[in-house]
Amino acid sequence: MTELAVAIGLVLVIEGLLWALAPRLGRRLLEATAETPESSLRIAGALAVAAGVLLVWMVRG
């Protein structure tokens, strides 16, 4: 359970870095995302999930 808390904390750190260091870039990314078709976002999300699972599996496996 502590590993899950650490993982969530790292996600918050990485997400927060974007907004702390480059808020304009964050806004541009959000605008670009709003214009992207939903099917493309689903594919990108699925690929990100697969890459994350693969990375965790390789490191912890």
Side-chain angles (χ1 to χ4, degrees):
M1 191 64 163
T2 59
E3 290 180 356
L4 178 61
V6 170
I8 292 171
L10 287 173
V11 168
L12 292 172
V13 167
I14 293 167
E15 289 283 334
L17 280 173
L18 171 67
W19 297 107
L21 299 177
R24 285 189 185 147
L25 174 62
R27 286 184 192 261
R28 283 190 301 196
L29 290 172
L30 286 174
E31 290 169 0
T33 302
E35 297 172 1
T36 303
E38 191 172 307
S39 61
S40 296
L41 293 174
R42 287 185 191 275
I43 291 170
L47 289 174
V49 168
V53 169
L54 180 65
L55 180 62
V56 169
W57 178 64
M58 289 173 58
V59 170
R60 302 298 260 159

